[in-house]
Amino acid sequence: MATDAARLINRTTCFLVGMKHYIAIVFAVLVASCWGSYAQAQTTDPQLAALGKEILDVDYVMFLDPEFFSNPPVIEISSAPLDLWLKAVKRSDAKLQRTSLDTIAIAKRRGMPEIDKALPVIDELLQTDDLEITVRRAAVSAMIQFEDPSTVARLVQQARDYGTPIASIVEPAMVVWKNASLKEDWQKRLTDRSVRLTPLRTAIEGLAAIEDQASSDSIRSIVSDSIRPASLRVCAARALGQLHDGGLEDLAETLSEDRSSKVTSLLAVELLRQHTSEKTIEILLSLANSETDLDHGMTKAAAMKRLYQIDPEIVNDVAKAAVHHDDYAVRDIAAGILHTVGSKENIEPLALLLADESPTLRRSVATMLFELAQKSELTEEVISQSMAILDQDDWRGCEQATRVLVSLDYKPSGDRLVDLIRHPRGETMIAAGWGLRLLSQEQHLDAMLGRAQEIYDRYQSGEYTTDTPGPGKLLTQLFLAFGQMDFLPAEPLMRTYVPRNLMLGDYPRGAACWSLGVIHEGEVDEDLVKIMEGRIRDTEALIPEFDTVRQMCALAIGRMGAEQAMPTLQKYASMRAGGVGMACFWAIERLTGEAPPPLPPGEVFDYKDWFMQPLKDDAE
């Protein structure tokens, strides 16, 4: 046996590489997807986006005008290692068998071609009487991944023959598949007090999944049994509620009034998951409104959610007060209710959640308010309440209120945004700068330039560095605004950001180069072109120039029409070099009218983290 294993290892390249190769593939996909197929220059119009009824988010227009794309990378999974794994499965080395079976299961999930031919091999293996239990478990787990109806009988038999080690993975699969093959086994388990907790819960879930009404009484007795573990009672209540859409109101009421345990009120909600009667609504409202020590956020949120499903209007008043609740789940469902009802009175409590501590919720609420503002009768109220939040100093509320008001193109908010570009929190100052850029009001330009100069001075003094959160991205927005609004007084400051100075950051310097190109479009500034060419060529230094700066310099040269920079552009033009190479092609097209070459196909990746693969020669 040892000799066989040695031969197998000698004929293969066996290695354990963890997840680093997989992560490398995903990272490459994400990076490449940042650039899509090559496109002509196009200016993003935030007002058009607003008309499209989509809330805006902080963006950097220098990456959108023009915007570049590339063909996405492709993952092509080779089935070359499969035959090797199948041979390993047939070996008598238990560790090798387990690892091969686990790998087959992973390959099935990843979509390896021809992987289905492993199924007969696994089936044959399971028919071996003296198979080690850990190998049998791995084989059953792999077989489940195929989700093949023809394997159900084999899986069920394995579960019955080999007990808990196998049943513990087979039965959950039967629940998911809603397969009734184990119905009798599950039914017997309900009345057996010696059954352990996990198998009993699986039985309850399985009987609910296959809608076995005959088991209702047994499940009901578990719900009412205060000696049973709380998790089991909740599972049983959920199953009973899934089986019945009426008739459980009395039991639910009894449980909701039982103050001996925190879990009883949650059981009541679970029982009523499909009920809609007046009695149901009465019980749920009582639970949703209750604020006793025994009640907790989970029950309140569950009751509110069920009422929301029945009729959001019923629970609207509860939701107004619930925006102050400590539990995130309660505030989340409250926001959904207020948004769905969408009355004018709901705007104020909903707007309070713009400052919620949960980033997911506050961003979601901003979107909700923007959507409500599309109704003419609510627009004024949304603006009023959003301005009330903006006038406060909470950084979260200011950031999200800015998104709402700028997306609505509400010009009077600009005065407050001028104040907020000096807010101590980075997210808020960046959003404010972005908002001022999109609102495009000339009366704010001097204040914006003053803040930009202040940031530069603090970089020079060392008070700000590229690690300081906020100022760099704010300055980027201000510079982009100066370019879009053709603000010539800002040109001297922006010019100081073009020469090599890594301490000023890549985004602010890139924005300065982009905006100078916009300001000088059609006008060749010889000194500026010379400096920008140097930035594009700066690739050999120990720390080369930022790609963002190089890309924006190429765009600026193209906009200015500087034909003398053609050799530089041609040298670095490449459809595979990301933004810099594509920007050079874009500039060349602007100068000569010569269309760029076609997009190269996306890079092809394969998984390299298999535990065992053929040697290269064998694979070929």
Side-chain angles (χ1 to χ4, degrees):
M1 181 171 65
T3 303
D4 290 342
R7 289 198 192 99
L8 187 62
I9 292 173
N10 288 335
R11 294 177 58 248
T12 64
T13 301
C14 303
F15 53 94
L16 298 173
V17 294
M19 288 299 294
K20 66 179 182 179
H21 295 294
Y22 175 72
I23 293 172
I25 291 173
V26 173
F27 179 76
V29 171
L30 291 175
V31 170
S33 64
C34 292
W35 315 102
S37 80
Y38 183 87
Q40 295 293 332
Q42 53 184 19
T43 302
T44 299
D45 187 342
Q47 279 68 42
L48 291 179
L51 292 174
K53 296 181 176 55
E54 293 182 3
I55 192 169
L56 302 173
D57 209 344
V58 172
D59 69 303
Y60 297 89
V61 69
M62 62 184 177
F63 296 117
L64 302 174
D65 181 12
E67 188 173 9
F68 301 120
F69 302 89
S70 64
N71 286 321
V74 178
I75 296 179
E76 292 185 356
I77 307 175
S78 170
S79 58
L82 180 57
D83 288 338
L84 191 61
W85 302 340
L86 296 180
K87 291 177 182 178
V89 167
K90 296 177 181 180
R91 298 282 176 167
S92 55
D93 185 328
K95 183 176 180 180
L96 186 61
Q97 287 177 305
R98 287 196 307 271
T99 307
S100 299
L101 290 165
D102 291 343
T103 304
I104 288 170
I106 295 172
K108 174 61 179 176
R109 290 196 297 270
R110 290 178 174 179
M112 175 180 280
E114 302 180 32
I115 191 65
D116 287 349
K117 73 181 188 180
L119 192 55
V121 176
I122 297 172
D123 187 49
E124 181 181 352
L125 181 67
L126 287 173
Q127 297 178 51
T128 305
D129 293 334
D130 60 348
L131 191 64
E132 184 179 316
I133 192 62
T134 58
V135 177
R136 187 175 300 278
R137 182 178 169 86
V140 167
S141 181
M143 180 174 279
I144 289 171
Q145 293 298 321
F146 287 84
E147 299 184 9
D148 190 325
S150 68
T151 64
V152 169
R154 174 74 65 195
L155 291 170
V156 169
Q157 192 60 49
Q158 291 286 311
R160 287 174 174 160
D161 291 346
Y162 297 96
T164 300
I166 305 303
S168 63
I169 55 177
V170 170
E171 291 195 21
M174 296 300 129
V175 174
V176 172
W177 298 345
K178 298 182 179 180
N179 188 282
S181 298
L182 290 166
K183 182 174 73 171
E184 293 182 2
D185 302 65
W186 290 337
Q187 287 175 333
K188 292 176 182 178
R189 210 174 289 170
L190 296 181
T191 55
D192 186 351
R193 300 289 296 201
S194 67
V195 174
R196 292 182 297 109
L197 180 60
T198 299
L200 183 53
R201 289 183 59 179
T202 302
I204 294 171
E205 293 169 352
L207 292 167
I210 64 175
E211 301 180 2
D212 181 43
Q213 298 285 338
S215 301
S216 293
D217 289 343
S218 297
I219 296 175
R220 183 184 181 119
S221 67
I222 294 174
V223 175
S224 302
D225 190 346
S226 60
I227 300 178
R228 297 277 195 171
S231 62
L232 180 64
R233 296 178 72 192
V234 171
C235 176
R238 184 176 296 120
L240 200 58
Q242 187 176 334
L243 289 170
H244 299 278
D245 59 7
L248 298 177
E249 291 90 345
D250 291 343
L251 177 57
E253 184 177 31
T254 300
L255 289 168
S256 69
E257 294 173 352
D258 182 356
R259 317 312 294 169
S260 63
S261 170
K262 288 185 176 182
V263 75
T264 52
S265 57
L266 183 59
L267 296 177
V269 178
E270 293 291 354
L271 288 172
L272 302 174
R273 60 193 295 117
Q274 295 193 91
H275 289 47
T276 58
S277 64
E278 291 185 7
K279 185 66 174 177
T280 294
I281 295 172
E282 179 184 336
I283 296 169
L284 291 172
L285 276 175
S286 175
L287 292 172
N289 280 301
S290 180
E291 298 292 346
T292 65
D293 292 340
L294 283 174
D295 290 299
H296 49 95
M298 184 182 297
T299 299
K300 188 179 184 73
M304 292 174 64
K305 182 177 181 179
R306 181 67 195 119
L307 288 166
Y308 172 64
Q309 293 167 344
I310 296 171
D311 183 358
E313 293 278 1
I314 298 173
V315 72
N316 190 60
D317 288 341
V318 178
K320 289 180 183 178
V323 297
H324 301 287
H325 201 277
D326 290 339
D327 195 292
Y328 164 78
V330 175
R331 302 194 306 275
D332 184 46
I333 188 61
I337 293 166
L338 295 172
H339 173 243
T340 300
V341 174
S343 65
K344 184 176 180 180
E345 294 73 22
N346 284 1
I347 303 301
E348 181 178 4
L350 186 59
L352 294 175
L353 292 173
L354 288 172
D356 195 85
E357 63 183 18
S358 165
T360 301
L361 180 55
R362 62 178 180 261
R363 287 181 59 83
S364 177
V365 167
T367 300
M368 292 176 184
L369 288 169
F370 178 78
E371 290 174 353
L372 290 174
Q374 306 309 307
K375 302 177 182 179
S376 58
E377 67 273 18
L378 297 179
T379 304
E380 184 177 346
E381 184 67 12
V382 170
I383 289 174
S384 174
Q385 296 303 330
S386 298
M387 279 299 303
I389 299 297
L390 191 71
D391 285 336
Q392 300 174 21
D393 289 329
D394 184 278
W395 72 268
R396 302 175 183 88
C398 289
E399 180 189 19
Q400 297 307 316
T402 297
R403 291 182 63 221
V404 175
L405 293 164
V406 172
S407 297
L408 294 172
D409 196 29
Y410 184 62
K411 302 292 188 183
S413 65
D415 291 342
R416 174 59 177 158
L417 295 182
V418 169
D419 296 334
L420 292 177
I421 58 177
R422 286 184 169 80
H423 195 282
R425 185 76 182 198
E427 294 92 330
T428 303
M429 69 170 73
I430 294 168
W434 164 79
L436 289 170
R437 176 171 69 81
L438 267 63
L439 292 176
S440 301
Q441 296 173 283
E442 292 184 1
Q443 67 266 31
H444 298 141
L445 284 170
D446 288 337
M448 293 162 66
L449 179 56
R451 176 59 169 145
Q453 183 65 54
E454 177 185 309
I455 293 173
Y456 175 75
D457 292 341
R458 293 187 178 186
Y459 272 126
Q460 294 299 104
S461 67
E463 182 178 351
Y464 285 164
T465 69
T466 54
D467 293 327
T468 306
K473 294 291 180 68
L474 167 60
L475 187 59
T476 301
Q477 293 291 347
L478 298 177
F479 280 172
L480 294 174
F482 298 151
Q484 288 185 298
M485 298 175 69
D486 198 26
F487 187 51
L488 292 178
E491 182 176 355
L493 178 60
M494 291 194 291
R495 279 179 175 265
T496 64
Y497 279 75
V498 180
R500 180 184 175 90
N501 187 341
L502 303 183
M503 301 306 295
L504 293 177
D506 58 337
Y507 269 44
R509 293 181 57 223
C513 296
W514 183 89
S515 289
L516 288 168
V518 172
I519 289 174
H520 289 283
E521 186 161 4
E523 304 173 359
V524 178
D525 185 313
E526 299 287 350
D527 293 337
L528 196 56
V529 170
K530 184 176 180 180
I531 298 173
M532 288 183 171
E533 275 196 90
R535 296 302 85 232
I536 296 174
R537 291 179 174 274
D538 186 2
T539 61
E540 302 298 328
L542 182 62
I543 302 178
E545 181 60 271
F546 295 121
D547 279 353
T548 300
V549 175
R550 297 177 63 228
Q551 176 180 341
M552 300 309 154
C553 284
L555 297 180
I557 288 173
R559 284 195 169 98
M560 286 188 284
E563 295 182 359
Q564 63 270 39
M566 276 291 294
T568 298
L569 296 174
Q570 290 171 337
K571 178 179 180 180
Y572 294 99
S574 170
M575 298 303 285
R576 286 192 179 276
V580 177
M582 291 182 175
C584 288
F585 267 126
W586 181 86
I588 291 170
E589 185 175 15
R590 288 283 295 250
L591 294 173
T592 67
E594 179 185 346
L599 282 172
E603 290 191 65
V604 178
F605 296 94
D606 190 6
Y607 291 100
K608 303 296 183 184
D609 57 345
W610 304 123
F611 90 106
M612 183 165 59
Q613 298 192 72
L615 292 170
K616 185 175 181 182
D617 292 342
D618 292 345
E620 292 175 350

